[in-house]
């Protein structure tokens, strides 16, 4: 195998691939990236056995072939090469070494045979559809903060992507929860997605997927089966197993009868929460919201470190209410609001609270109060 | 200060009929000896020895299941006496503690040796428990000294005689040099402290890593560790060895609950809550399996610890049989205000936590057995 490639294109492809590779590995081949050169394309493939990513980059291939080298080391080398360099990769297939040459730098990397590299089996997908990158970005960006990290609740360690009904029409919906907060984000159902089975997309996949979604113009080809999900742009294909479990019935968690309505400027609110939370040494401490006619007083009382209070002018027409929340959770949901005011709907100080942006119900958040 | 056969002494004090009998503290036929009284020790019984072996050596031994609460109580009383000597007391276990007596001479108008003699006398007079004293200029030597003429020992290693004292002593004297370390020291030809003195620091570090540097200093009787009265607790755990290996899920479930409750009780007493729950299982062949789970919020609630441990247990593919099970919490945090958050997906969790707090109050008032869960009886 021999090819030449521009450093910037190589770096982008290798960076993407190496991030999938697990840092601590007991199987040596999984630390490697599979490089395949053919035609005028080179592909870089990496896997942790649950996720597989394939990046393609244009290159001048003088001899087709394939080999594998340490993904992290290869990435480090390419990263440190000068911008604009032309990189020549050569593997004679017999020496067990792959050479990397650029200008006056030259490296020789140990290889492992390509036959040992586990390529994810291809499978049949029940639904194939295209979604604009900004739509997927919104669905996952706004829900991923609520993904649980509790290993025992493995079925919550991802975003539940499925087709659901909203007011008579079908929507593409992403839901994540860790039992303390929940995010439910809807988008218009793309054509061809109706037959899609509901899948739990693992946290790591959500993180890797994000890197495919930066380009506003890109159309992402999405394929979904009961066991796998695939996202593809013209250059990158990300395939992932989905979490084998049942996502709990989240609909009964979303309160529908909350009537006490608070409307507040989201960024003012977030800043105030952040300020008063400073006095609590632990981020897990409670912020108390005391609501009275058009007045909100935020306070934190941490016995061993201090106390803080801040008043905000808000729209709140209902009877007085005192309710406490984990400051971190409040900040996280408040920071999801980007266009309109944040609207909170309360029931009592012990019941889940609902938050949405203005009257837009395509993104709703639920947060469990704390006792204060 | 190191108590003499502490658990056994407490048992003998509380039951005078045991006085002249060999007494061994430990759990069941499968357990190990946690303490042997001096009569049993004459027959060769040692702590950490398997119980069946102890009974072979000493068939007439009276085996007493430990009464931990009684020992904790006595330990607390001893601690109170030690607190009269110095504010800097660092407990190593229930029956052993370092005290820093630096600068207390002017306070007590008596040198440390006199005060320490007074300490063990008070322990015997007031509590009926004897202890041994090791007095020296650092922790390593004080610990060594306390073991020199047990029971009811009193040894002093002064600065001037430190080098002479250590010279021909075996290196296994060093706390932390176990069988494994001793083998590697042996290979390097190091048996005594004088062997150690011949090595320079760099070589010791190259050969033994971090321990090498410690060895270098200990060989010279140097130990700069401070006596610290505030060693933070890093984890709280409890484990139990079964009388017979078991794979019965009902029996194991009962153990998981009891262990979770014990861990929760101790966490509550210390005002701590843990963010990580660990399950430990020992298979019949003694190999160990551990699983842990992070929680979104730290907990001290037995119900939460139990449920997490139970899920971990259910996710273990090994069917057993097991000879030991243990539960622990770590990544500890102060408990206040924690746990106040409810669980959206498990609305009953808060109710169960409230019920647990309520039964804690009942147990506090009417005793540990006043109210318990049915599954504790499994």
């Amino acid at each position: 195998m021999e090819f030449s490639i521009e450093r910037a294109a190589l770096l982008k492809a290798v960076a993407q691939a190496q991030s999938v590779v697990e840092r601590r590995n007991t199987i040596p081949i999984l630390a490697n990236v599979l490089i395949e050169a053919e035609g005028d394309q080179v592909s870089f493939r990496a896997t942790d056995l649950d996720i597989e990513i394939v990046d393609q980059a244009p290159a001048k291939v003088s001899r087709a072939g394939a080999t594998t080298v340490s993904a992290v080391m290869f990435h480090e080398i390419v990263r440190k090469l000068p911008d604009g360099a032309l990189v020549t990769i050569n593997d004679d297939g017999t020496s067990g070494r792959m050479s990397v040459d650029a200008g006056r730098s030259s490296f020789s990397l140990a290889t492992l045979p390509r036959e040992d590299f586990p390529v994810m089996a291809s499978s049949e997908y029940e639904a194939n559809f295209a979604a604009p990158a900004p739509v997927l970005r919104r669905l996952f960006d706004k829900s991923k903060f609520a993904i649980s990290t509790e290993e025992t609740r493995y079925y919550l360690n991802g975003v539940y992507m499925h087709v659901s009904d909203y007011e008579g029409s079908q929507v593409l919906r992403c839901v994540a929860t860790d039992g303390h907060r929940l995010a439910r984000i809807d988008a218009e159902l793309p054509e061809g997605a109706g037959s899609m089975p509901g899948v739990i997309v693992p946290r790591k996949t959500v993180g890797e997927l994000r890197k495919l979604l930066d380009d506003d113009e890109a159309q992402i080809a999405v394929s979904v089966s009961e066991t796998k999900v695939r996202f593809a742009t013209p250059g990158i294909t990300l395939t992932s197993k989905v979490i084998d479990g049942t996502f709990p019935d989240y609909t009964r968690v979303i309160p529908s009868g909350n009537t006490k309505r608070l409307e507040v400027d989201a960024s003012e609110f977030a800043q105030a929460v952040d300020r008063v939370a400073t006095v609590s040494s632990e981020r897990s401490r409670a912020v108390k919201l005391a609501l009275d006619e058009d007045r909100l007083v935020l306070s934190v009382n941490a016995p061993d470190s201090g106390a803080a209070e801040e008043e905000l002018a808000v729209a709140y027409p209902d009877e007085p209410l005192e309710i406490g929340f984990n400051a971190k959770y409040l900040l996280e949901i408040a920071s999801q609001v980007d266009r309109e005011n944040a609207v909170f709907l309360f029931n009592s100080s012990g019941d889940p609270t609902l938050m949405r942006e203005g009257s837009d119900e395509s993104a709703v958040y639920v947060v469990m109060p704390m006792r204060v | 200060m190191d108590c003499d056969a502490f658990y056994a002494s407490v048992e003998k004090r509380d039951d005078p009929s045991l006085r002249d009998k060999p007494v061994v503290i430990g759990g069941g036929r499968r357990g190990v000896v946690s303490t042997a009284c001096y009569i049993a020790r004459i027959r060769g019984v040692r702590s950490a020895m398997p119980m069946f072996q102890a009974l072979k050596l000493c068939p007439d031994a009276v085996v007493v299941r430990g009464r931990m609460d009684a020992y904790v109580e006595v330990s607390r009383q001893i601690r109170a006496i030690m607190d009269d000597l110095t504010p800097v007391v660092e407990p190593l276990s229930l029956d052993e503690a370092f005290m820093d007596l630096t600068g207390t001479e002017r306070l007590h108008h008596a040198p440390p040796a006199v005060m320490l003699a007074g300490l063990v006398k008070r322990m015997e007079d007031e509590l009926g428990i004897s202890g041994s004293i090791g007095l020296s200029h650092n922790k390593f030597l004080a610990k060594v000294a306390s073991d020199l003429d047990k029971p009811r020992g009193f040894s002093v290693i002064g600065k001037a005689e430190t080098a002479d004292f250590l010279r021909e002593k075996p290196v296994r004297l060093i706390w932390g040099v176990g069988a494994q370390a001793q083998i590697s020291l042996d290979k390097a030809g190091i048996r005594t402290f004088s062997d150690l003195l011949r090595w320079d620091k760099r070589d010791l570090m190259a050969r033994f890593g971090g321990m090498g540097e410690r060895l270098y200093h200990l060989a010279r009787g140097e130990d700069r560790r401070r006596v610290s009265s505030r060693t933070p607790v890093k984890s709280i755990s409890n484990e139990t060895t079964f009388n017979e290996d078991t794979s019965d899920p009902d029996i194991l479930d009962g153990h998981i609950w009891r262990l979770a409750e014990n861990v929760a009780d101790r966490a509550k007493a210390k005002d701590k809550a843990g963010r990580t729950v660990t399950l430990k299982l020992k298979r019949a062949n003694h190999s160990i399996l551990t699983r842990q789970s992070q929680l979104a919020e730290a907990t001290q609630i037995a119900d939460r610890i139990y449920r997490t441990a139970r899920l971990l247990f259910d996710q273990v593919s090994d069917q057993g049989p097991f000879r030991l099970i243990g539960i622990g919490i770590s990544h500890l945090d102060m408990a206040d205000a924690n746990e106040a958050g409810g669980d959206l997906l498990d609305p009953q969790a808060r109710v169960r936590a409230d019920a647990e707090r309520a039964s804690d109050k009942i147990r506090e008032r009417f005793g540990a057995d006043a109210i318990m869960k049915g599954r504790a009886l499994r």
Side-chain angles (χ1 to χ4, degrees):
Chain A
M1 177 188 75
E2 185 173 0
F3 62 90
S4 303
I5 184 169
E6 209 268 315
R7 183 249 183 196
L10 179 60
L11 179 62
K12 189 160 172 281
V14 176
Q16 186 81 249
Q18 67 94 31
S19 77
V20 169
V21 168
E22 283 291 337
R23 288 291 171 275
R24 274 175 295 175
N25 241 319
T26 48
I27 309 171
I29 192 81
L30 293 184
N32 280 16
V33 53
L34 170 63
I35 307 172
E36 293 168 297
E38 180 139 30
D40 53 2
Q41 293 271 6
V42 180
S43 76
F44 299 87
R45 189 187 296 262
T47 184
D48 66 359
L49 296 180
D50 288 325
I51 304 177
E52 182 189 76
I53 193 154
V54 185
D55 269 66
Q56 296 201 305
K60 192 170 160 295
V61 180
S62 41
R63 195 168 72 247
T67 189
T68 82
V69 291
S70 159
V72 171
M73 195 180 288
F74 188 41
H75 171 246
E76 280 294 285
I77 288 171
V78 177
R79 193 175 62 78
K80 290 172 183 171
L81 289 175
D83 202 13
L86 185 71
V87 188
T88 303
I89 309 281
N90 188 357
D91 179 43
D92 61 12
T94 54
S95 62
R97 290 279 186 274
M98 181 187 92
S99 69
V100 180
D101 294 284
R104 293 186 205 169
S105 316
S106 131
F107 305 84
S108 169
L109 297 178
T111 61
L112 287 173
R114 67 165 299 188
E115 294 74 26
D116 293 356
F117 192 89
V119 173
M120 203 177 261
S122 59
S123 50
E124 293 284 308
Y125 292 99
E126 272 122 81
N128 295 286
F129 58 92
V135 169
L136 290 178
R137 197 162 69 206
R138 174 172 169 276
L139 283 170
F140 287 98
D141 276 1
K142 284 185 178 294
S143 56
K144 67 183 174 198
F145 73 91
I147 298 174
S148 170
T149 51
E150 272 182 48
E151 293 87 343
T152 42
R153 287 176 156 186
Y154 58 93
Y155 48 84
L156 297 182
N157 296 168
V159 170
Y160 181 42
M161 179 172 78
H162 61 297
V163 177
S164 187
D165 282 316
Y166 178 71
E167 291 187 345
S169 59
Q170 284 196 313
V171 290
L172 179 60
R173 175 173 283 179
C174 280
V175 178
T177 181
D178 65 356
H180 301 287
R181 54 260 165 85
L182 175 145
R184 188 198 76 190
I185 318 297
D186 291 347
E188 201 182 313
L189 191 72
E191 205 173 314
S195 57
M196 175 187 117
V199 287
I200 307 168
V201 183
R203 164 194 291 279
K204 183 173 172 186
T205 309
V206 172
E208 292 302 322
L209 168 64
R210 186 64 184 78
K211 297 169 194 162
L212 275 59
L213 305 177
D214 278 329
D215 180 2
D216 277 352
E217 303 304 315
Q219 286 287 324
I220 311 295
V222 185
S223 305
V224 185
S225 75
E226 296 276 357
T227 54
K228 272 184 207 160
V229 58
R230 194 175 73 194
F231 300 93
T233 67
I236 307 171
T237 305
L238 173 70
T239 312
S240 168
K241 291 183 185 161
V242 297
I243 293 173
D244 183 12
T246 308
F247 200 81
D249 177 13
Y250 63 87
T251 52
R252 55 191 176 86
V253 169
I254 299 172
S256 53
N258 288 7
T259 53
K260 301 191 180 85
R261 186 177 187 280
L262 159 72
E263 186 165 344
V264 59
D265 181 286
S267 77
E268 264 180 39
F269 175 76
Q271 286 172 22
V273 170
D274 196 21
R275 271 192 292 271
V276 293
T278 317
V279 294
S280 64
S281 48
E282 305 273 338
R283 264 295 168 97
S284 63
R285 287 263 168 70
V287 173
K288 190 166 83 178
L289 278 60
L291 285 155
D292 207 340
E293 214 185 320
D294 290 345
R295 205 169 77 108
L296 165 64
V297 178
L298 294 162
S299 62
V300 168
N301 196 349
D304 34 341
S305 50
E309 199 177 278
E310 179 155 344
E311 194 178 318
L312 284 176
V314 297
Y316 182 75
D318 295 289
E319 61 194 78
L321 173 72
E322 283 197 356
I323 188 166
F325 294 100
N326 181 317
K328 179 168 156 261
Y329 298 166
L330 267 192
L331 280 175
E332 274 169 352
I333 66 164
S335 66
Q336 303 306 322
V337 176
D338 35 31
R339 298 185 316 274
E340 297 180 57
N341 285 339
V343 171
F344 288 86
L345 292 170
F346 304 101
N347 186 32
S348 78
S349 63
D351 294 314
T353 293
L354 189 135
M355 199 280 288
R356 62 169 193 245
E357 197 167 341
S359 54
D360 178 7
E361 292 196 339
S362 72
V364 300
Y365 305 91
V366 181
V367 58
M368 195 70 191
M370 292 175 88
R371 286 177 199 163
V372 282
Chain B
M1 194 289 300
D2 184 7
C3 293
D4 303 323
F6 181 58
Y7 297 174
S9 307
V10 175
E11 293 303 334
K12 290 193 179 201
R13 180 195 74 174
D14 293 350
D15 180 359
S17 75
L18 296 174
R19 224 189 129 104
D20 301 317
K21 295 183 181 141
V23 172
V24 172
I25 314 292
R29 196 168 52 82
R30 289 284 293 273
V32 293
V33 176
S34 66
T35 308
C37 78
Y38 283 89
I39 302 173
R41 287 188 199 190
I42 293 168
R43 313 274 285 273
V45 181
R46 295 283 175 268
S47 53
M49 180 181 271
M51 192 56 86
F52 73 90
Q53 200 181 334
L55 290 174
K56 208 181 279 175
L57 288 164
C58 186
D60 55 333
V62 182
V63 179
V64 182
R65 264 196 184 274
R67 291 178 301 142
M68 210 30 97
D69 37 347
Y71 311 148
V72 170
E73 175 59 20
V74 179
S75 174
R76 211 183 46 73
Q77 292 165 336
I78 297 172
R79 172 66 190 257
I81 304 178
M82 293 193 286
D83 284 342
D84 287 346
L85 259 64
T86 167
V88 190
V89 179
E90 178 185 335
L92 270 182
S93 59
L94 284 181
D95 61 337
E96 218 177 337
F98 286 115
M99 284 166 277
D100 187 348
L101 295 167
T102 310
T104 57
E105 194 165 348
R106 280 179 60 193
L107 177 71
H108 298 305
H109 306 292
V114 173
M115 294 310 297
L116 289 168
L119 166 73
V120 276
K121 182 163 189 314
R122 270 185 73 187
M123 280 167 52
E124 284 197 27
D125 292 351
E126 294 172 23
L127 306 173
I129 298 296
S130 73
S132 296
I133 295 293
L135 174 60
S136 193
H137 50 95
N138 62 41
K139 283 168 94 170
F140 160 55
L141 292 167
K143 167 107 182 147
V144 167
S146 72
D147 288 330
L148 283 182
D149 65 345
K150 276 175 97 48
R152 305 185 78 219
F154 196 106
S155 310
V156 183
I157 304 175
K159 261 193 179 132
E161 64 255 27
T162 298
D164 282 339
F165 169 82
L166 286 177
R167 190 163 299 129
E168 294 312 318
K169 293 281 183 296
V171 283
R172 65 162 179 274
L173 213 57
I174 298 170
W175 198 63
V177 171
Q180 218 41 47
Q182 215 175 328
I183 291 170
S184 49
L185 285 166
D186 257 3
K187 276 190 189 145
I190 300 172
R191 285 184 184 77
T192 64
F193 279 80
S194 57
D195 296 333
L196 256 184
L197 283 174
R198 282 194 284 273
W199 286 64
D200 75 33
K201 197 170 174 174
R202 245 190 335 199
D203 294 344
L204 274 177
M205 284 175 71
R207 181 138 184 164
F208 301 106
M211 187 175 88
E213 186 175 5
R214 237 188 103 215
L215 288 173
Y216 177 84
H217 290 290
L218 293 182
R220 285 153 185 79
E222 297 164 5
D223 178 8
R224 301 177 69 112
R225 288 172 303 163
R226 298 172 57 155
V227 178
S228 157
S229 48
R230 279 192 290 180
T231 330
V233 185
K234 290 202 179 114
S235 67
I236 300 170
S237 64
N238 195 4
E239 56 185 49
T240 181
T241 303
F242 312 130
N243 283 326
E244 271 161 42
D245 293 354
T246 182
S247 48
D248 181 336
D250 279 351
I251 292 177
L252 289 164
D253 184 71
H255 282 291
I256 295 174
W257 168 254
R258 283 187 294 275
L259 293 168
E261 194 174 36
N262 174 286
V263 167
D265 283 348
R266 284 160 54 202
K268 287 167 188 162
K270 290 188 165 87
D271 229 359
K272 296 279 184 194
R275 215 169 243 286
T276 302
V277 174
T278 305
L279 169 78
K280 172 177 162 188
L281 290 163
K282 197 187 265 182
R283 301 187 186 89
N285 66 4
H286 289 258
S287 63
I288 289 172
L289 183 156
T290 60
R291 292 284 180 277
Q292 44 178 238
S293 179
Q294 311 281 335
L295 304 177
E297 290 180 344
T299 191
Q300 58 168 202
I301 295 291
D303 179 70
R304 184 98 173 86
I305 299 170
Y306 163 76
R307 275 163 197 268
T308 309
R310 178 67 220 229
L311 279 170
L312 287 170
F313 177 75
D314 290 343
Q315 288 167 19
V316 167
S317 52
D318 198 321
Q319 302 286 319
F322 302 106
R323 59 177 289 125
L324 170 150
I325 188 166
I327 306 280
I329 56 172
S330 53
H331 293 109
L332 301 182
D333 227 333
M334 289 309 286
D336 57 343
N338 274 305
E339 209 109 6
D343 190 333
L344 287 165
L345 301 168
D346 184 3
Q348 289 300 309
R350 194 176 257 182
V351 176
R352 291 193 307 267
D354 286 347
E356 186 173 322
R357 298 273 187 212
S359 43
D360 285 345
K361 287 201 183 113
I362 295 170
R363 289 164 65 207
E364 209 168 277
R365 203 158 151 205
F366 300 106
D369 297 338
I371 185 164
M372 61 170 89
K373 293 229 189 213
R375 65 167 91 93
L377 301 170
R378 275 184 164 177

